[in-house]
Amino acid sequence: MNLREAFAIAMSSLRVNGLRSALTTLGIIIGVAAVIVLVGLGDGIKAGFNTQFGALGNQINVSQITGTVPGGGEAKDLKDSDVTALRNTSVAPDIASVTPVVSGSEMVTANQQQFRAAIQGSTADYLTVVDRDVVIGAMFTAEQARSNARVVLLGPNAVATLFGGDAGAALGTTVRIGRSNFQVIGVLKSNGQSDDAAVMPLGAARAYLVGGNDTINSMIVKATSTDTVQPALAEIYQVMDDRHNIRDPASRDYNATALQSLLEQADQFLTYLTLFTVAVAAISLIVGGIGVANIMLVSVTERTREIGIRKAIGARRSAIMKQFLIESTMLSGIGGVIGIVIGIVIVVIGMIVIPKVAPTFGAPDVSLPAVAVAFVVSLLIGLIAGGYPANRAARLRPIEALRYQ
């Protein structure tokens, strides 16, 4: 029996038992589709994460330690002079910019409603540095920052409480923050992390809300590129240690954290999470393989007399084994193809729907390697699952097979 005849016999057997074959392939279909969908979703999440936070890869946050430093004593304040020192390119050539930030918490009042906002006082480049956009309005100018203008950009949570979520209604109105009036010149776009913020000029925040003549709470340092983050971090340590009289690194009274390392850890976590979910989905492939093996054993039992007749007229063991291996492989292969089609359809639907309902999530993408691996695994499952039944059929003795009722 040649290969073409074996395929024809296998197809005939699958058609005769169509419902049984369909139910048998269901586990393979679900497993393959689940693997493709989960890999696509995982790639989408990673793409969305990189899009949302990738621009922060060269950012280093410097903040003061609150309370007692590890080596004992009180932590020195971060000051404007620290910002000036880090901006000196002769001692810190790998630092592109340094943005000071003062922060606090104040009650914002408007329309007889109140909201406690997280005050962020900074320079005119603050939104650019933290990679944040506005829904309506604009960031305050450098001139407004120099003149300590009482202007503010509100986060979406504040707008939702004070203006019912209407950004247009908020723009241009006057709100009371603490004991001072500020004009709303913009509404921040949601980033899911600091939506309670109220962003204003550094001088205005100091003069009217948080106090302090030259002290700051933190600095946002940008390295010249993602490749120079570590040299920039070393320069921060060198400059700040010298200014704060730090002799032992373990006794530093400030923290300098490179977001690049945090982003790499988060990306690695997302990769492991994707692999874990794919492994869980692959369990259904194993279940499907068990189903294929079970049905092939049933098929061998049902066709015992047929096997005996074929062996009696000269069919060799290899021909019998080939027939059943082809049948099991075709069974799982067809399930794999159907699963691939279903998985791709679901991913394509996700590519259309997810950006509309969850823009920051990241649209899933069809992973060709995942498709190829899922299909190859489905074929391997067919070979493995059909191996024992095929061998059992090939080892049947013609006399015993012909006597089988």
Side-chain angles (χ1 to χ4, degrees):
M1 180 180 64
N2 57 37
L3 195 61
R4 185 174 181 179
E5 290 175 340
F7 271 106
I9 294 172
M11 284 300 298
S12 176
S13 176
L14 294 179
R15 281 197 300 268
V16 169
N17 301 287
L19 181 59
R20 187 173 73 181
S21 300
L23 293 175
T24 302
T25 59
L26 196 57
I28 302 292
I29 293 171
I30 294 173
V32 170
V35 167
I36 293 173
V37 171
L38 289 174
V39 170
L41 287 175
D43 289 345
I45 292 173
K46 290 179 66 176
F49 177 83
N50 290 331
T51 299
Q52 187 172 1
F53 299 104
L56 305 179
N58 64 335
Q59 180 175 311
I60 304 170
N61 288 342
V62 181
S63 59
Q64 179 184 337
I65 291 178
T66 57
T68 305
V69 299
E74 293 295 324
K76 292 183 178 179
D77 291 330
L78 297 179
K79 296 188 175 184
D80 289 340
S81 56
D82 293 324
V83 176
T84 303
L86 289 174
R87 286 175 175 169
N88 186 349
T89 55
S90 63
V91 294
D94 295 301
I95 293 177
S97 66
V98 184
T99 303
V101 180
V102 294
S103 55
S105 178
E106 286 289 347
M107 196 67 73
V108 183
T109 305
N111 297 327
Q112 297 182 340
Q113 300 291 328
Q114 290 188 322
F115 179 84
R116 182 163 290 280
I119 304 300
Q120 300 290 321
S122 190
T123 54
D125 64 342
Y126 176 76
L127 293 188
T128 302
V129 170
V130 298
D131 191 37
R132 193 164 187 183
D133 298 322
V134 295
V135 174
I136 191 171
M139 183 62 170
F140 53 81
T141 64
E143 177 58 34
Q144 288 174 315
R146 282 192 293 270
S147 63
N148 298 341
R150 285 183 290 179
V151 293
V152 65
L153 292 91
L154 296 178
N157 289 349
V159 173
T161 300
L162 301 176
F163 300 96
D166 188 348
L171 187 66
T173 61
T174 299
V175 297
R176 190 167 186 81
I177 305 179
R179 298 181 179 180
S180 303
N181 291 331
F182 284 75
Q183 182 185 15
V184 179
I185 61 170
V187 175
L188 300 172
K189 185 177 181 180
S190 174
N191 65 358
Q193 294 186 340
S194 52
D195 290 347
D196 293 344
V199 179
M200 61 188 64
L202 177 68
R206 282 173 170 167
Y208 303 107
L209 298 173
V210 300
N213 295 323
D214 63 346
T215 59
I216 57 177
N217 296 101
S218 61
M219 295 179 283
I220 302 173
V221 180
K222 285 278 191 178
T224 53
S225 71
T226 55
D227 295 329
T228 59
V229 169
Q230 292 306 316
L233 190 60
E235 290 162 7
I236 291 172
Y237 286 139
Q238 181 179 356
V239 171
M240 295 296 293
D241 286 354
D242 182 63
R243 290 188 53 80
H244 287 225
N245 299 317
I246 305 297
R247 299 293 176 261
D248 182 7
S251 301
R252 288 186 174 120
D253 57 0
Y254 64 92
N255 290 318
T257 306
L259 294 192
Q260 185 183 56
S261 59
L262 299 179
L263 294 176
E264 289 173 352
Q265 292 175 15
D267 186 71
Q268 188 178 45
F269 171 77
L270 290 175
T271 299
Y272 289 151
L273 183 62
T274 301
L275 291 175
F276 173 75
T277 54
V278 169
V280 172
I283 294 175
S284 61
L285 282 173
I286 298 174
V287 174
I290 295 172
V292 171
N294 181 51
I295 291 304
M296 292 308 300
L297 283 171
V298 172
S299 180
V300 169
T301 302
E302 290 177 344
R303 295 156 65 185
T304 299
R305 286 181 63 83
E306 174 195 331
I307 295 168
I309 292 171
R310 293 184 60 193
K311 296 194 75 173
I313 61 176
R316 287 184 284 183
R317 290 181 58 178
S318 60
I320 302 296
M321 179 173 284
K322 183 193 302 180
Q323 176 188 338
F324 283 93
L325 280 177
I326 289 175
E327 190 171 321
S328 65
T329 304
M330 287 183 64
L331 194 63
S332 60
I334 291 171
V337 171
I338 296 173
I340 287 171
V341 172
I342 293 175
I344 291 176
V345 169
I346 294 174
V347 171
V348 170
I349 292 173
M351 292 169 67
I352 299 172
V353 174
I354 290 178
K356 295 179 180 178
V357 298
T360 60
F361 187 80
D365 191 17
V366 177
S367 172
L368 294 181
V371 171
V373 169
F375 181 66
V376 170
V377 169
S378 69
L379 294 179
L380 289 175
I381 285 175
L383 282 173
I384 296 171
Y388 174 71
N391 183 59
R392 181 179 176 181
R395 292 174 60 186
L396 285 174
R397 296 177 62 185
I399 297 297
E400 294 178 356
L402 290 170
R403 287 177 181 172
Y404 185 82
Q405 297 297 324

